[in-house]
């Protein structure tokens, strides 16, 4: 009885609907918003900077006299791309390594996990600097740095998935039938891992935006004049106390996006089951 | 238990490997400490002389040997910036970071675990939605934003709390709350998720069928089983405190290790960066070991397996 | 207690142990009658050794501890300090300084001619390799003690040797402390305040020097703290966590305007600053090797807009190579600081780049807004500016790269600032002389021009004001035509002072002088930590 109750709570959950609505809305806005709104996100007016919100500039203008609302709408695409790229890279590197470790002999597994732990322990600042300064600055490279922090999370996840599956009957059967290990991994294990992966990705998507903001805070993020939300917010903090809007509106936008993604992730997890017993889920975005 | 001992024994060897990796990685960062110290107005002749004085003109293997020698002596060399031994610098700051981090995680546990229990016990209720919603908001606010806002409200407007720096207990309130925000949200969600899973299991139904009170079922039967991952998270986060606290320590002007790291990276103070990084790696590895041991103690299944 | 709970408690113990009362603020607790002034800066001091640093913020901390032979006031006039009088030989090569009798260092040793000579010799000693020794080693050949005097011998005549000897790097340090080797962490000079402690990451403390030779300071104690966040500096001024904040970001100035809430607690001070912000163009990278292109870029800059938008009016547009306060410097002609897009386009067309081009700029975070503003301005003449915002170390690497490396990286421009203490030679030689071309010096665009080199040398040695003025004027005209560096603006020194704090001044190089400060009776109680 109870069991069914919980099940139903998950399926029809309010968070899931809210998340789906927010994420869908964001996607639509990212696609048609700029065309709809018009305006130039980099048009400056240095003689009239930091104008408070008004009818002409609903979110005010920034330290260069640029319209914040226009910049936010243009920046949405960038933010979504940020999430997509860094998650794809992190998962694309981490999961295969984790899966491999899960099926590998014990000593290989141990070595991989130790390296992963060390990577996890490396101060995020040094790691980010290393990636960014070896490859040069720029948004894409900053995203790689963010991906580098979360690789250990996905290694753990992949390993947990593999360890859970290696003793399943059908996997053993396939191995007995003579399928190569790589083939088993690629053709059979990975597709089964898709759902938990998706859930994990939406859950940590929010931390990516925050991590990008932290990187901007350290001067390593997107390069101007890109209206990247994290950079906008972190630049806006320098006027906090004299003008609240350059920091507030990007902050709210990030918060709403993160909430949308988290709701979607939670909803998915409730529907399709928890993504393994991953202890580190969600902590990968800290810088 | 054997696996545990073997891993502990491998630790020195791992640390040696890590020290090489750290040394290479840090020296691969672009930027010449001598130029950064002398400033852009200094002519190259002065910079070159400074480089020589600091031993930065030695070949890298020789510099590594020096570093290793210092590391074995436990002092990690002298800061390039002002000649203070790295050990003195780091140990002078570590208590502040540990105190702030410790307090933040206590706070996170005190908020997260009871919150998670309430949310799980009434899964699907308005209380559950409220708590989960709050965690989402907590997890989605950038630390520096909350910090600066809190300073403006509680220090500048209301004068309730000191603005910044370290001192009495009141100095801890804001930084600890900001630092606790993310882990509290994380722990609450994990507690809730863990409990919801455990509550579905047969033995809980058995316990209920025996007529035990819901409170007793939750606290004595369900919670201990859901505790393992929570402990793992809090232990692992001890290690990542150093990197996680960068923003908090910078904004609140907290004299901790994270800020020392930021300043040292800015001036490419190699010995200090190496010292802090090695300490951080050692911290995480030890915490992982401790967490695994604790989980093994908590979970009889794992105990049998290893 | 069941075992799981025990285990979790055991694991929590280290967490709790970490939260042990960190040693309380002993100095803070007791005496409230002691007058103490807290100064908040944007960065911690780099060293307590005046010769081993090169940062304005560090100079402000060191100023109360150390003194120089001669002292420059806020108007730029020279006064006797540790030297009571000085004479120079007819050829300008030998300078004799009479040292004030009865001086003592904070460590109790005598500050006599021998000690002064030892301190200056240390500055130019190549083996000491001090970070701030650059220009002194190039100019001073030897320092000797003769009876109660110190004789400084120059390699070649140097017109501005007295202002040069008044900068912090030339401060006189205790030879005993220098020999002990801990001057970097422990200041030891002759100044009105004695160094008490430098608690890493927290503060620097100083106490009144009871044995000071000059007028006794009014304050008992000084304390410096720092925060890299402009908004935190502003909040500290409002709460009273700091009595003086330096710098106060200009965006906050209006919070302290008459009638505003902030006006009751503090006021904003401004002084014309020496910090000149400029963009160096890579003269070895096409199309920037063409002086017409460089001039066109300069013409397309609206410097008034930069001052209005980025500095909120707290600065002066800079149109020429020298800071306006240097004798002989040109200032902007009326309308010159505005953008002249038509002229710029015409010049670009003449150079064959009418359709525009792309250049990349390497810039650190504090100067990044300048790049962003230039990016928008140059869109008007078809030039695309690719901004590379870089972390300090990365930036130094790209800024001081040799021509070949800069070509490979495509670095066409570097934006930075320069704060020379109003000495024309220190402004010109490092930035424009061919010997200073990077990586040897800060001529980051590899500009090389024989006439300019000759003029720089002539200005350095010439002591006749009229001839100097003429040479400087010709030199600036030549630099305007060549435009290897685009001057942008001079930022004012803007700092905030709590009500009741008096006697704080700013030197022309941006250094804040607090040694002569006092607290009025009606001073507001510090509203910070009780």
């Amino acid at each position: 009885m109870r069991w069914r109750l919980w099940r139903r709570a998950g399926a029809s959950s309010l968070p899931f609907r809210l998340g789906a609505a927010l994420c869908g809305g964001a996607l639509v806005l990212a696609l048609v918003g700029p065309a709809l709104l018009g305006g130039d996100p980099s048009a400056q007016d240095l003689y009239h900077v930091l104008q408070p919100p008004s009818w002409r500039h609903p979110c005010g203008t920034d330290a260069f006299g640029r319209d914040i609302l226009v910049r936010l709408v243009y920046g949405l695409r960038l933010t979504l791309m940020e999430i997509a790229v860094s998650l794809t890279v992190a998962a694309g590197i981490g999961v295969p390594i984790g899966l491999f470790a899960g099926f590998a002999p014990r000593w290989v597994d141990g070595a991989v996990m130790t390296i992963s732990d060390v990577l996890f322990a490396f101060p995020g600042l040094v790691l980010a600097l290393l990636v960014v300064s070896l490859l040069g600055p720029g948004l894409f490279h900053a995203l790689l740095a963010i991906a580098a922090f979360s690789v250990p999370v996905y290694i753990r996840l992949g390993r947990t998935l593999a360890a859970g599956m290696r003793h399943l009957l059908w996997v053993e059967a396939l191995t007995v039938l003579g399928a190569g290990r790589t083939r088993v991994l690629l053709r059979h294990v990975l597709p089964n891992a898709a759902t938990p992966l998706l859930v994990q990705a939406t859950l940590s998507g929010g931390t990516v935006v925050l991590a990008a903001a932290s990187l901007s805070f350290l001067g390593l993020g997107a390069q101007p004049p890109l209206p990247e939300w994290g950079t906008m917010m972190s630049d806006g903090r320098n006027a906090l106390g004299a003008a609240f809007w350059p920091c507030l509106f990007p902050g709210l936008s990030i918060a709403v996006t993160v909430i949308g993604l988290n709701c979607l992730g939670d909803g998915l997890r409730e529907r399709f089951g928890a993504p393994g017993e991953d202890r580190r889920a969600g902590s990968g975005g800290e810088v | 238990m054997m696996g545990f001992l073997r891993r502990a024994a491998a630790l020195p060897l791992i640390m040696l490997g890590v020290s090489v990796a750290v040394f290479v990685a840090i020296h691969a960062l672009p930027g010449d400490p001598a130029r950064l110290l002398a400033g852009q107005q200094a002519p190259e002749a002065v910079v070159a002389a400074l480089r020589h004085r600091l031993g930065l003109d030695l070949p890298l293997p020789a510099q590594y040997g020096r570093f290793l020698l210092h590391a074995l002596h436990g002092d990690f060399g002298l800061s390039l910036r002002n000649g203070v031994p790295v050990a003195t610098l780091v140990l002078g700051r570590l208590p502040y970071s540990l105190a702030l981090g410790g307090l933040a995680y206590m706070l996170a546990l005190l908020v997260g675990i009871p919150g998670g229990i309430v949310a799980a016990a009434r899964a699907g209720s308005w209380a559950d939605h409220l708590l989960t919603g709050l965690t989402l908001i907590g997890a989605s606010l950038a630390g520096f934003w909350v910090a600066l806002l809190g300073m403006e409200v509680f220090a500048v407007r209301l004068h309730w709390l000191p603005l910044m720096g370290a001192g009495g207990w009141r100095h801890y309130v804001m930084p600890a709350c900001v630092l606790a925000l993310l882990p509290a949200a994380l722990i609450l969600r994990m507690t809730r998720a863990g409990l919801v899973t455990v509550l579905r299991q047969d033995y809980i139904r058995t316990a209920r069928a025996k007529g035990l009170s819901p409170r007793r079922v939750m606290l004595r039967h369900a919670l201990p089983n859901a505790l393992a991952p929570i402990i793992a998270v809090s232990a692992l986060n001890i290690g990542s405190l150093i990197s996680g606290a960068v923003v908090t320590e910078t904004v609140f002007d907290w004299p901790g290790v994270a800020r020392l790291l930021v300043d040292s990276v800015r001036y490419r103070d190699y010995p200090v960066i190496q010292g802090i990084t090695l300490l951080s790696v050692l911290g995480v590895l030890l915490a992982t070991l401790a967490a695994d041991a604790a989980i093994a103690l908590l979970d009889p299944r794992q105990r049998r397996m290893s | 207690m069941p075992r799981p709970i025990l285990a979790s408690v055991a694991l929590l113990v280290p967490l709790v142990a970490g939260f042990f009362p960190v040693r309380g603020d002993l100095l803070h607790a007791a005496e409230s009658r002691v007058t103490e002034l807290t100064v908040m800066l944007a960065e911690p001091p780099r060293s307590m050794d005046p010769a081993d640093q090169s940062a304005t913020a560090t100079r402000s901390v060191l100023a109360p501890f150390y003194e120089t032979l001669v002292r420059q006031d806020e108007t730029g006039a020279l006064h006797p300090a540790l030297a009571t009088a000085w004479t120079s030989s007819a050829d300008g090569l030998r300078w004799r300084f009479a040292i004030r009798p009865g001086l003592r260092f904070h460590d109790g040793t005598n500050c006599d001619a021998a000690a002064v000579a030892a301190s200056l010799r240390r500055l130019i000693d190549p083996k000491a390799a001090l970070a701030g020794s650059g220009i002194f080693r190039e100019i001073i050949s030897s320092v000797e003690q003769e009876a109660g005097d110190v004789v400084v011998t120059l390699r070649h005549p140097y017109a501005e040797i007295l202002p040069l000897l008044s900068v912090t790097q030339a401060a006189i340090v205790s030879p005993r402390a220098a020999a002990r080797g801990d001057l970097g962490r422990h200041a030891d000079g002759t100044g009105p305040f004695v160094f008490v402690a430098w608690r890493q990451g927290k503060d620097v403390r100083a106490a009144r020097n009871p044995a000071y030779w000059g007028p006794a300071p009014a304050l008992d104690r000084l304390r410096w703290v720092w925060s890299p966040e402009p908004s935190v500096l502003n909040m500290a001024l409002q709460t009273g966590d700091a009595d003086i904040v330096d710098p106060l970001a200009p965006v906050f100035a209006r919070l302290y305007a008459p009638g505003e809430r902030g006006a009751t607690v503090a006021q904003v001070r401004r002084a014309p600053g020496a910090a000149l912000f400029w963009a160096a163009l890579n003269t070895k990278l096409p199309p920037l090797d063409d002086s017409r292109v460089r001039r066109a870029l300069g013409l397309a800059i609206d410097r008034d807009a930069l001052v209005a938008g980025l500095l909120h009016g707290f600065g002066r547009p800079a149109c020429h190579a020298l800071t306006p306060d240097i004798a002989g410097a040109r200032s902007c002609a009326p309308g010159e600081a505005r953008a002249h897009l038509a002229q710029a386009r015409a010049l670009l067309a003449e150079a064959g780049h009418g359709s525009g081009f792309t250049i990349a700029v390497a810039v650190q975070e504090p100067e990044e807004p300048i790049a962003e503003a230039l990016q928008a301005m140059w869109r008007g003449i078809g030039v695309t500016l690719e901004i590379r915002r870089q972390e300090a170390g990365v930036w130094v690497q790209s800024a001081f790269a040799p021509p070949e490396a800069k070509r490979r990286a495509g670095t066409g421009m570097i934006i930075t600032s320069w704060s020379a203490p109003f000495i024309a030679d220190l402004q010109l030689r490092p930035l424009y002389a061919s010997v200073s071309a990077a990586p040897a010096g800060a001529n980051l665009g590899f500009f090389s021009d024989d006439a300019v080199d000759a003029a720089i040398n002539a200005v350095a040695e010439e002591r006749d004001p009229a001839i100097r003025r003429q040479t400087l004027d010709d030199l600036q005209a030549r630099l305007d035509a060549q435009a290897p560096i685009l001057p942008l603006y001079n930022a004012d020194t803007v700092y905030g002072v709590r009500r009741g704090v008096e006697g704080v001044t700013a030197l022309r190089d941006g250094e804040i002088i607090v040694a002569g400060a006092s607290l009025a009776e009606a001073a507001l109680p510090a509203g910070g930590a009780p």
Side-chain angles (χ1 to χ4, degrees):
Chain A
M1 190 56 216
R2 280 262 166 181
W3 186 83
R4 200 168 289 162
L5 244 173
W6 275 316
R7 177 67 192 242
R8 217 183 49 185
S12 67
S13 72
L14 178 71
F16 179 67
R17 288 193 206 154
L18 184 69
L22 282 175
C23 293
L27 266 178
V28 172
L29 192 61
L31 285 176
V32 304
L36 219 62
L37 198 68
D40 178 354
S42 3
Q44 302 186 354
D45 182 359
L46 287 174
Y47 290 103
H48 303 95
V49 298
L50 294 173
Q51 298 284 306
S54 63
W55 280 115
R56 249 184 90 210
H57 306 289
C59 297
T61 69
D62 69 3
F64 296 90
R66 298 177 294 208
D67 187 284
I68 292 176
L69 181 66
V70 172
R71 288 179 67 74
L72 283 175
V73 171
Y74 275 83
L76 181 55
R77 261 184 220 182
L78 216 61
T79 307
L80 294 181
M81 189 204 73
E82 223 167 52
I83 295 170
V85 170
S86 56
L87 288 183
T88 313
V89 172
I93 297 172
V95 173
I97 294 178
L99 286 176
F100 169 74
F103 279 93
R106 205 171 167 145
W107 68 270
V108 176
D109 181 29
V112 169
M113 292 324 286
T114 304
I115 292 172
S116 160
D117 280 350
V118 168
L119 192 65
F120 187 72
F122 229 75
L125 174 67
V126 176
L127 204 61
L129 258 182
L130 205 65
V131 173
V132 172
S133 56
L134 289 184
L135 302 175
L139 182 60
F140 183 69
H141 294 152
L143 292 182
L144 287 186
I146 296 168
F149 310 143
S150 31
V151 161
V153 177
Y154 287 94
I155 293 182
R156 285 259 161 203
L157 180 69
R159 179 172 173 271
T160 314
L161 290 171
M165 278 182 210
R166 73 192 289 185
H167 300 299
L168 288 183
L169 270 178
W170 59 268
V171 175
E172 275 176 27
L174 276 173
T175 322
V176 171
L177 283 176
R181 181 172 290 158
T182 323
R183 195 183 146 82
V184 172
L185 275 175
L186 284 182
R187 295 289 298 278
H188 302 278
V189 177
L190 204 55
N192 274 290
T195 309
L197 261 178
L198 187 69
V199 175
Q200 167 70 35
T202 43
L203 274 176
S204 55
T207 54
V208 169
V209 187
L210 292 184
S214 310
L215 277 187
S216 309
F217 186 70
L218 299 165
L220 299 171
Q223 294 300 317
L226 287 182
E228 197 266 329
W229 288 0
T231 317
M232 286 173 70
M233 184 175 167
S234 114
D235 288 349
R237 81 183 192 278
N238 288 335
L240 216 66
F244 64 88
W245 50 94
C247 201
L248 177 73
F249 291 109
L252 281 181
S253 309
I254 294 177
V256 169
T257 311
V258 171
I259 288 171
L261 278 168
N262 275 290
C263 286
L264 192 69
D266 271 357
L268 285 177
R269 190 174 57 182
E270 302 267 322
R271 278 206 157 165
F272 302 113
E277 289 260 305
D278 180 35
R279 312 172 200 143
R280 289 172 183 181
S283 64
E286 282 176 34
V287 179
Chain B
M1 223 53 219
M2 272 315 286
F4 178 78
L5 287 179
R6 205 166 42 227
R7 280 172 63 194
L11 204 59
L13 208 66
I14 293 173
M15 285 311 289
L16 189 71
V18 169
S19 80
V20 178
V22 166
F23 183 87
V24 170
I26 285 164
H27 281 78
L29 291 180
D32 173 5
R35 170 56 78 184
L36 284 162
L37 285 174
Q40 46 167 316
Q41 311 207 355
E44 178 62 20
V46 169
V47 179
L50 194 60
R51 217 173 275 138
H52 179 72
R53 185 182 104 194
L54 299 173
L56 296 168
D57 54 351
L58 293 172
L60 274 189
Q63 288 190 51
Y64 176 74
R66 228 185 205 198
F67 156 63
L68 202 61
L69 207 68
H70 279 296
L72 291 176
H73 282 99
D75 64 359
F76 292 102
L78 304 178
S79 157
L80 299 182
R81 277 184 295 169
N82 43 34
V84 181
V86 173
T88 313
L89 272 180
V90 174
L91 291 179
R93 302 234 195 172
L94 201 58
Y96 290 98
S97 285
L98 288 181
L100 185 62
L103 186 63
Y105 277 99
M106 297 246 299
L107 210 63
L109 289 174
L110 286 179
V111 171
I113 293 181
I117 293 174
V118 170
R122 294 157 202 266
S125 73
W126 63 268
D128 179 26
H129 283 312
L130 181 74
L131 282 167
T132 331
L134 281 178
T135 62
L136 286 183
I137 293 173
S140 64
L141 295 176
F144 67 84
W145 196 43
V146 182
L148 290 172
L149 216 66
M151 291 163 99
E152 176 75 31
V153 172
F154 295 108
V156 177
R157 306 266 159 169
L158 299 173
H159 296 288
W160 287 357
L161 294 168
L163 182 68
M164 53 189 288
W169 66 270
R170 284 150 48 98
H171 285 89
Y172 283 86
V173 178
M174 275 202 284
C177 287
V178 171
L179 200 55
L181 207 62
L182 202 61
L186 202 66
I187 289 172
L188 195 152
R189 282 169 53 162
M190 278 192 359
T191 311
R192 181 187 176 277
L195 281 176
V196 166
T197 316
V198 170
L199 285 174
R200 287 175 189 164
Q201 291 184 0
D202 290 343
Y203 77 98
I204 295 291
R205 255 183 292 175
T206 314
R208 271 211 197 90
K210 280 197 304 190
L212 294 179
S213 74
R215 191 192 163 87
R216 197 176 161 78
V217 170
M218 179 66 89
L219 294 182
R220 292 297 299 271
H221 295 259
L223 189 60
N225 279 296
L227 219 53
I230 300 166
I231 286 173
V233 161
S234 35
L236 281 170
N237 275 317
I238 297 171
S240 63
L241 265 187
I242 290 170
S243 46
V246 167
V247 169
T248 315
E249 289 191 3
T250 305
V251 173
F252 287 104
D253 203 41
W254 193 258
V257 182
R259 260 189 71 209
L260 178 64
L261 178 73
V262 175
D263 289 347
S264 307
V265 168
R266 189 183 144 72
Y267 288 102
R268 298 293 186 267
D269 198 338
Y270 295 144
V272 183
I273 311 176
Q274 280 154 3
I276 295 176
T277 308
L278 281 183
L279 190 75
S280 152
V281 171
L282 186 66
V284 168
L285 290 182
L286 286 178
T288 318
L289 272 180
D292 286 353
I295 290 166
L297 276 179
L298 278 173
D299 189 342
R301 278 171 305 176
Q302 292 223 4
R303 204 162 45 212
R304 220 176 306 124
M305 265 159 65
S306 60
Chain C
M1 239 176 165
R3 226 163 75 196
I5 308 271
L6 261 179
S8 59
V9 167
L11 205 78
L12 277 177
V13 166
L15 280 173
V16 184
F19 177 54
F20 236 75
V22 174
R23 248 182 334 120
D25 222 307
L26 294 175
L27 282 164
H28 225 282
E31 318 110 284
S32 56
R33 271 155 285 119
V34 173
T35 50
E36 185 184 67
L37 202 70
T38 303
V39 184
M40 188 181 275
L41 304 169
E43 61 167 53
R46 303 199 186 164
S47 171
M48 286 296 131
D49 183 343
D52 204 22
Q53 55 78 38
S54 58
T56 310
T58 306
R59 289 205 295 273
S60 295
V61 177
L62 297 183
F65 301 131
Y66 294 104
E67 289 173 301
T68 44
L69 287 177
V70 290
R71 178 176 69 85
Q72 221 178 354
D73 66 15
E74 56 270 27
T75 67
L78 290 165
H79 302 279
L82 295 187
T84 50
W86 49 87
T87 55
S88 78
S89 61
D91 58 5
L93 285 176
R94 278 169 61 85
W95 288 77
R96 175 180 291 271
F97 296 88
I99 303 303
R100 191 178 294 277
L103 293 173
R104 271 177 193 283
F105 288 109
H106 299 153
D107 64 5
T109 52
N110 283 332
C111 176
D112 50 17
V116 172
S119 176
L120 290 176
R121 271 199 296 270
R122 166 179 174 272
L123 179 62
I124 58 170
D125 180 6
K127 280 202 289 295
L130 296 165
S133 62
I135 184 77
F136 298 95
R137 274 163 61 184
E138 284 169 21
I139 292 166
I140 301 174
S141 73
S142 69
V143 183
E144 288 108 44
Q145 172 210 357
E146 283 181 18
D149 296 348
V150 168
V151 175
V152 176
T153 309
L154 309 186
R155 291 183 202 280
H156 49 78
Y158 195 75
E160 292 171 289
I161 181 70
L162 290 177
L164 187 65
L165 285 175
S166 77
V167 305
T168 312
Q169 281 83 0
I172 305 305
V173 303
S174 157
R176 193 170 80 179
R180 212 169 41 226
D182 66 349
L183 208 52
R185 318 189 279 280
H186 188 287
D188 210 330
T190 56
F193 282 85
V194 180
F195 174 87
V196 174
W198 179 4
R199 298 186 299 174
Q200 295 288 334
K202 294 186 90 177
D203 58 9
V204 173
R205 283 164 185 271
R208 187 195 353 233
N209 176 6
Y212 185 55
W213 61 269
L219 293 169
D220 297 310
R221 286 179 182 162
L222 290 174
R223 179 169 162 258
W224 289 268
V225 293
W226 41 87
S227 167
E229 289 295 301
S231 55
V232 173
L233 283 155
N234 168 51
M235 288 192 266
L237 186 62
Q238 297 189 17
T239 58
D241 279 68
D243 299 297
I244 298 168
V245 303
D246 169 36
L248 182 73
V251 67
F252 300 114
R254 65 173 176 80
L255 300 180
Y256 303 91
E260 294 289 333
R261 194 170 55 97
T264 58
V265 293
Q267 61 180 139
V268 179
R269 302 265 185 84
R270 68 192 285 185
L276 173 66
F277 289 76
W278 42 267
L281 298 170
N282 186 346
T283 60
K284 292 235 156 87
L285 186 76
L288 298 171
D289 53 349
D290 186 330
S291 68
R292 289 170 300 186
V293 173
R294 301 198 295 261
R295 248 171 34 234
L297 290 176
L299 283 166
I301 298 173
D302 185 347
R303 292 173 170 85
D304 282 340
L306 291 180
V307 172
L310 305 183
L311 300 179
H312 298 261
F314 286 82
R316 294 166 291 175
C319 307
H320 306 282
L322 289 174
T323 310
D325 304 77
I326 294 177
R330 291 181 165 195
S331 10
C332 295
E336 193 179 6
R338 285 299 180 110
H340 305 275
L341 292 181
Q343 261 176 283
R345 280 196 208 101
L347 264 175
L348 277 188
E350 191 189 318
H353 293 284
S355 53
F357 53 88
T358 300
I359 54 172
V361 57
V363 65
Q364 295 189 76
E365 209 194 350
E367 283 90 25
E368 186 276 324
I370 300 179
E372 213 165 333
L374 292 185
Q375 187 179 50
M377 290 173 184
W378 287 347
R379 279 208 299 191
I381 54 167
V383 173
T384 308
L385 186 62
E386 179 202 323
I387 298 177
R388 299 178 185 162
R389 169 160 57 178
Q390 297 175 340
E391 182 269 349
V394 182
W395 180 84
V396 155
Q397 180 109 332
S398 39
F400 283 86
E404 194 39 51
K406 269 196 183 154
R407 186 199 305 273
R408 254 182 284 120
T411 314
M413 186 164 107
I414 308 280
I415 298 178
T416 180
S417 70
W418 191 261
S419 180
F422 298 98
I423 296 176
D425 183 57
L426 289 191
Q427 188 100 50
L428 294 170
R429 187 179 303 273
L431 302 191
Y432 295 98
S434 22
V435 288
S436 310
N443 179 350
L444 302 177
F446 320 110
F447 176 64
S448 171
D449 183 291
D450 292 341
V452 168
D453 286 347
I456 289 174
N457 286 332
V459 166
E461 303 192 1
E462 186 54 61
R463 293 162 75 193
D464 179 327
I467 303 177
R468 265 180 79 82
R469 203 169 276 271
Q470 188 54 50
T471 320
L472 277 177
D473 202 59
D474 295 345
L475 179 58
Q476 287 173 86
R478 179 133 190 110
L479 289 176
D480 285 347
Q482 291 288 318
I485 285 176
L486 308 175
L488 301 169
Y489 56 67
N490 277 103
D492 287 351
T493 303
V494 183
Y495 57 105
V497 179
R498 290 276 287 184
R499 294 256 165 219
V501 179
E502 275 152 28
V504 182
T505 54
L507 288 193
R508 298 194 312 167
D509 59 354
E511 196 176 317
I512 303 288
I513 299 300
V514 294
S518 60
L519 287 167
E521 281 304 313
L524 288 167

